Amino acid sequence: MDVLDLSAINSGQRELVGGKADGLAALIRLGERVPDGFCVTTEVYSRGEMSRAEVLAAYWRLGGGPVAVRSSATAEDLPDASFAGQQDTFLAVEGDDELLTAIRACWDSLHTDRTRAYREAAGIAHDTVRMAVVVQRMVDAEVAGVLFTANPLTGSRSESVVDAAPGLGTAVVDGAVEADHYVLDSTDPEERGCLIPARLKELREVGEGLQRQLGAPQDIEWAYDRDGTLWLLQSRPITTLFPAPPASGKPGTRLYVEFGHVQGMLQPVTPMGMSTLKTLLDGMLASFGMTVDIVDIGGRLYGDLTDVMRAPSTRQRLVKLMAVDFGPRAQAVVEHLLDDPRFAPVDGARRRRAATLAAGPKAVAGILGALARPAAARARVFGTIEHLRQQPVVDPSTAPELLALVEEAEQPDTGLQAITWPVVTGLLIGAALPPLLKGIASDDEIRTVLGGMPHNVTIEMDLALWQVAQHAAPHRELLLRASPDELAAAHLAGELPDFGLAAFLDAYGQRSAAEIDIGVPRWSEDPAPVFAILANYLRGTDPDQAPDRRFERAAAKAEAMLAELVRRARRTSPVRGRLAGFALRRARELAGLREAGKFAGLYALRDRRRRLLLIGAELQAKGLLERADDVKFLTPPELRTVVDRDDDPHETDLRETVVGRRSEYVRELRRRAVPVALLSDGTDVETLLPARTSDGRTLTGTGASTGRVSGRARVVRDPADAYVEPGEILVAPTSDPGWTPLFLTAGGLVTETGAVMAHGPTVAREYGIPAVICVPGATERIRTGQMITIDGATGTVTIDEPATTNTATTP
């Protein structure tokens, strides 16, 4: 089938006609006004020869004359990759030879450097893509442009955006003219520019109708001809929007704050992992007397904080909570919305006070006990962790029994109270230091006191891995020559010499990057990331920069600063001096416990993951799943429906569900930016804040670890196989405990998200390396190989020179 009229294309023929033709045919089926045209199918492209007679016959059925010849690749106008402008369009093509030449030029545009780079960035294999070509009658446009049915800059689904200019719309699409820009909402548009209000209203109404019928916000090309008739030239999904929150059923605008970045995680969570995390968060918040709706948006964890924002008793305290653990980005969002009338204080949150009061006595007793006897509190914390580590685990042999244990583990765990309040006490005492030492110590000096912190399980893990590297030194050539994947396979097969890695994995194998998601393999299953880190350690040659020595220097510097601050406080008042000394010492005795709660919870996640994989293996053997780890794309209730159908489990075959969710998960993995806060209409709240000023060389964030250092940047988006030269400055979107071993060789840290008390900055302080967090677009604006200077006191990153020619970003 070489040529198809656009009106003859049926749903499901995308592979034959490509994305653009498929979209135009959908508009025609919906009754929209689309210029007449035809499609030269992908079969012609695959054959490499076209039937001249058939193509020209279709052209003359249009009446000849000027036509638009437009690419329509199979990988084009996708939900997550528009390929806008990547392949060629030719306008006002007229005559037989010119038409055939234009069709071949569209074919050739599938193989340009820019389109190949775009496909690689989108994860689309080159050999899977084919090209069709659309030929349409030209519209004699009086005015034309683009309509977005949601605001592509803010994400708001309550607004439409129109860019328009006289003449052909390609001038707008290509950026060749300064277009008139309109942001449309429910109010009547003003009279200005090249579009009268009636046309703006018509465009908005047409866009809203298409969005409803096509099920997603649309990017629409349009044109008004000389008679004032509106023609639609293209409609495709807007690919850049972050998913909107699901409908809550509650009145008014809602505020959702992203929770994952607190744990240093921006990648999406698998459906099974999301179910587990919701349960864990519900239990954790309940222990503090709080109830927050946890919502899945784009595979990320968001909490509905609307009621807390509107409650007079909690709205101001929420700003402080954001500053302590959610970070400056979330804090700025909440401060901005305090003045928004949609979040004005209202009475009605009192019903939750009973839960808060019930948790109060336990909290007071736990916090006071930890302050009075910190050594005993630490002993309880590490005793609980050791008990969990040594607890014998027995797995049943059948899927129903295994699933029963998984479901039982969904209940909130009340056995970790011995850990909860010492950890909370450490966080509170650390947060209390700035106001307590106001006028005596700078934030930079307080952060120095929090460096080289003892009793941190993540630090202990990193230093233990450093010791493994020392024992592995005789095998340096092997560990640097082979790839991490090859070494991991050899280790699991028992083919590597014993240099202490097995003992390390026995103690820490339940960890990984993004470890709060049970859908992610643990280091014990796949130690490739550990081998990548070991290779980094083995490249270090300066003994003075050894991580254990750096940690010792940071600890000594902290103790010296503590003594100095106590002396300053005593000069103002003996009582203040004693109080400052008590708080500073308790901070050093308890703040390092911050990682303990999460670390203890990893044992339950490890066991839950193992049992789910055993269930998956049984279902795979029965032909109900393609792979054992497909269980991570199901929810516990869905898994229960399969496991319970022993009579005919194929009636509940969920393989198609798994395929769809895996595709969505992979698509979200490629997303570079995740909003820290969303409104219920999809608005990214940070886009409403005043823009930061910049001189083009200096990026501004938040200082999180004291010091100033210059070095080559190393941009890393995935720590699994990261290569970081000793002394390079690590630039990353985020960081969680799975990233922290990279800090041992890094000269400094820059992240796009985080909080001063979050995992990455905490570990950076304890190693004594400068850190600047919450630098917008750091991984895009900084290139590997650039010389940069970071200043942990001012929270700035200065780009000292352009990137070198070798600026490939580490995956």
Side-chain angles (χ1 to χ4, degrees), residues 683-706:
T683 298
D684 178 347
V685 185
E686 283 190 300
T687 64
L688 307 180
L689 304 182
R692 298 189 185 194
T693 59
S694 173
D695 60 6
R697 292 180 57 245
T698 302
L699 313 182
T700 303
T702 297
S705 180
T706 184

Side-chain angles (χ1 to χ4, degrees), residues 19 57-58 82 158 166 188 340 512 630 795:
S82 68
S158 302
D188 291 334
D340 191 314
S512 67
D630 281 349

Side-chain angles (χ1 to χ4, degrees), residues 53-113:
E54 189 174 358
V55 171
L56 294 181
Y59 169 58
W60 286 105
R61 281 198 301 273
L62 291 179
V67 292
V69 181
R70 312 170 70 193
S71 64
S72 182
T74 52
E76 187 171 343
D77 294 358
L78 297 170
D80 61 328
S82 68
F83 281 82
Q86 298 302 307
Q87 285 121 191
D88 286 341
T89 289
F90 301 92
L91 301 180
V93 174
E94 190 167 3
D96 295 357
D97 291 339
E98 191 174 344
L99 171 63
L100 298 176
T101 299
I103 291 173
R104 291 192 178 277
C106 282
W107 288 353
D108 293 341
S109 71
L110 191 63
H111 305 291
T112 64
D113 291 341

